[in-house]
Amino acid sequence: MKIASKSKKINKAWLNDHVNDPYVKMAQRDGYRARAAYKLKEIDEALKLLKPGQVVVDLGAAPGAWSQYLRRKFAPAGAAVGELNGTIVALDLLDFEPIEGVTFLQGDFREESVARSLVAALGGRPVDVVVSDLAPNLSGIESSDAARVAHLVELAVEFAQAHLRPEGALVCKTFHGSGYSQLVKLFKDSFRVVKPIKPKASRDKSAETFLVGLGLKPR
């Protein structure tokens, strides 16, 4: 009974924090599917990464808040529908409610069929920016979770190396903790400039942070 009671208290506390979170309220006001949109917005505004006309791939795109931000960034006057100056391809294992102008591919990007669909969607053009909000299901076992996080970051870096133009950029979610320094090294080995960013929109209690790699190093 104590365990159940404690669990209920935790859930209630989380729900209370969520409902009163200013970024949750902003997302509801602005029509974003998740507060995560403001994380990408902060990173973009700090580094001036995204410009109309670019080709961008959104890895781990569901539920779609980052793709929504990209779509508005590439639209005149930030419109959520209508004219679009740019190409956005979203990928995820999970289903994805359509966003006008965004090409969604469901599946693992390492699979041949998904890779073929991606090549078709890109139309032979190199990618300007890859954004990755990929995150594993965490078990609470630090060593296991660190390995899962590292694996997804490594996949994002491999994807960027395969598809980015030489001066392109990768924005990738990771977490402070075991293995973080190795991921920073991976980025420094792969990109000419590396910037870690903890957006204000990330929850204070979260170990979440983002690594941004600018300009691919020759392999």
Side-chain angles (χ1 to χ4, degrees):
M1 291 299 292
K2 286 184 179 178
I3 294 173
S5 176
K6 186 177 180 181
S7 176
K8 284 180 181 176
K9 285 181 181 177
I10 292 170
N11 289 337
K12 190 173 181 181
W14 180 90
L15 184 60
N16 184 64
D17 288 346
H18 181 76
V19 168
N20 293 305
D21 186 307
Y23 289 100
V24 172
K25 292 178 179 178
M26 285 168 61
Q28 292 168 344
R29 181 197 69 200
D30 296 340
Y32 284 118
R33 296 176 184 176
R35 66 197 299 287
Y38 302 102
K39 300 173 190 177
L40 183 58
K41 183 175 187 288
E42 284 185 60
I43 294 167
D44 176 34
E45 290 176 348
L47 300 177
K48 304 293 189 288
L49 294 177
L50 299 165
K51 301 174 181 67
Q54 289 178 326
V55 177
V56 181
V57 175
D58 182 2
L59 301 179
W66 278 21
S67 285
Q68 284 181 302
Y69 175 76
L70 293 166
R71 197 256 177 268
R72 296 182 191 190
K73 183 77 179 184
F74 293 169
V81 294
E83 188 179 345
L84 180 66
N85 180 16
T87 300
I88 306 163
V89 182
L91 296 98
D92 206 302
L93 295 172
L94 302 174
D95 202 4
F96 183 95
E97 185 181 342
I99 296 171
E100 185 179 315
V102 176
T103 299
F104 174 60
L105 305 176
Q106 186 169 9
D108 188 329
F109 56 78
R110 294 170 296 175
E111 293 176 0
E112 189 176 338
S113 60
V114 178
R116 282 199 304 268
S117 297
L118 175 63
V119 169
L122 295 176
R125 293 163 298 173
V127 178
D128 295 289
V129 182
V130 174
V131 296
S132 173
D133 202 22
L134 289 167
N137 293 322
L138 300 178
S139 65
I141 302 170
E142 186 176 357
S143 58
S144 175
D145 289 342
R148 293 177 185 179
V149 169
H151 178 60
L152 292 180
V153 174
E154 288 162 6
L155 288 178
V157 170
E158 287 174 12
F159 183 93
Q161 289 172 329
H163 296 286
L164 272 182
R165 65 170 66 252
E167 65 275 22
L170 169 64
V171 178
C172 190
K173 177 157 76 176
T174 184
F175 296 88
H176 270 291
S178 177
Y180 176 73
S181 59
Q182 288 93 325
L183 296 178
V184 172
K185 183 179 184 303
L186 171 64
F187 261 69
K188 288 183 175 178
D189 289 343
S190 305
F191 295 93
R192 294 194 296 273
V193 177
V194 178
K195 295 183 179 292
I197 296 182
K198 168 85 170 177
K200 291 176 184 159
S202 286
R203 297 184 195 276
D204 292 339
K205 298 174 185 175
S206 173
E208 173 187 80
T209 191
F210 293 85
L211 289 173
V212 182
L214 304 168
L216 286 168
K217 285 184 176 179
R219 296 172 73 180

